[in-house]
Amino acid sequence: MNASYLNRFTIVLLVSMFLLKSFAQTDARVFMFSYFKGNGEDGLHLASSKDGLVWTALNHDSSILKPMVGEEKLMRDPCIIEGKDGNFHMVWTASWKDKGIGYARSKDLVNWSEQKFIPVMEQEPKALNCWAPEITYDRAADQYIIYWATTIPGRFPATDTTGDGTYNHRMYYVTTKDFQHFSPAKILYDKGFSIIDATIVPNGKGYLMFLKDETRKPPQKNIRVASSDKATGPFTEPSLPVTDTSYWAEGPTVTRLQGKWVVYFDKYTKHAMGAVQSADGKHCEDISSQVKFPNGTRHGTVFTITEKQWKQLEDMNL
């Protein structure tokens, strides 16, 4: 092997290493978690993590955004998604008894637009609530779906006595392309039991829905999984529980970590956060002992941002 060849080989190797390093830096993501504390009265909280396991509160764990809409002006269950327009879009539970949800957008997670109340269930005069809304981008239809849990007394009478008091939830949804115009609300998931806290994530060419079985009598209160070829369904019957029956779990939110699904959830009767990991989204291993969240964290949503976006947050002293 002559010197000229070695020099060319060395140059190609160095260039390749530089490109790989640059790609890794460009593609690097920082995990973020939007959550609420207490009853959601003080607003949006954010935490960050480099490994998806240990989470650090931003802004000294003080609220970043105060709730301004809804009958009770709460900001429970904040769900944030980065849209194709470069904005972060957030929806949340604005009240225990409203027929709509809260919405705001932001370029940087700190400065938010004027908050808007979206009356997604105004066409249902008997609707009791709109709880835990979430957003998922529907790739095939190039639109967003916003979905939430609502009880309409008498709509599903067979299970009216299996929930908590008068509550017997099903999942509903609307679609939007611009967060200004919305389709009429439709049923998203009804498999003959009360359900809240659903979250939908892409899975190959299809989608997985992680959901809470809200049945109280007999008690379930666990996380299950369903699947569909389309973001708007129809989704399959739910799997067996992926959370332990020794505690009640709610508020699942999902990300990918080291090639596996990681599902974070609120062990709300134990006032603690938990997590399971899974290779297929159904057979899970409990990793609650490996995760650490800020004290008082209630459930919310995991998402990621770029290193550049993270640097901007650092520059704003968050």
Side-chain angles (χ1 to χ4, degrees), residues 51-52 54 70 73 85 92 126 136 140 155 161 175 192 218 244 267 272 275 311:
D51 62 5
V54 178
K73 292 183 173 56
D85 59 359
W92 66 89
K126 294 183 179 180
T136 295
R155 184 63 55 89
T161 60
T175 62
D244 198 301
K267 297 181 180 181
K311 182 62 168 57

Side-chain angles (χ1 to χ4, degrees), residues 280-294:
D280 59 8
K282 295 181 180 180
H283 303 89
C284 295
E285 171 192 3
D286 194 290
I287 58 168
S288 297
S289 62
Q290 299 179 42
V291 300
K292 183 177 181 180
F293 283 84

Side-chain angles (χ1 to χ4, degrees), residues 39-41 67-77 91-103 115-118 127-133 148-150 167 169:
N39 193 33
E41 63 277 2
M68 300 298 293
V69 299
E71 180 182 339
E72 297 175 77
K73 292 183 173 56
L74 301 178
M75 193 170 280
R76 298 175 60 88
D77 321 302
V91 291
W92 66 89
T93 305
S95 172
W96 288 99
K97 299 179 180 180
D98 275 338
K99 292 182 174 63
I101 60 177
Y103 166 78
Q115 296 173 35
K116 181 167 67 172
F117 182 80
I118 307 175
L128 297 183
N129 58 337
C130 292
W131 284 0
W148 64 92
T150 286
Y167 290 111
H169 301 88

Side-chain angles (χ1 to χ4, degrees), residues 259-303:
K260 295 183 179 181
W261 294 108
V262 173
V263 186
Y264 310 99
F265 52 88
D266 185 348
K267 297 181 180 181
Y268 66 103
T269 58
K270 294 184 176 295
H271 307 288
M273 293 293 292
V276 295
Q277 68 178 11
S278 171
D280 59 8
K282 295 181 180 180
H283 303 89
C284 295
E285 171 192 3
D286 194 290
I287 58 168
S288 297
S289 62
Q290 299 179 42
V291 300
K292 183 177 181 180
F293 283 84
N295 290 335
T297 296
R298 301 295 307 277
H299 53 270
T301 303
V302 61
F303 60 105

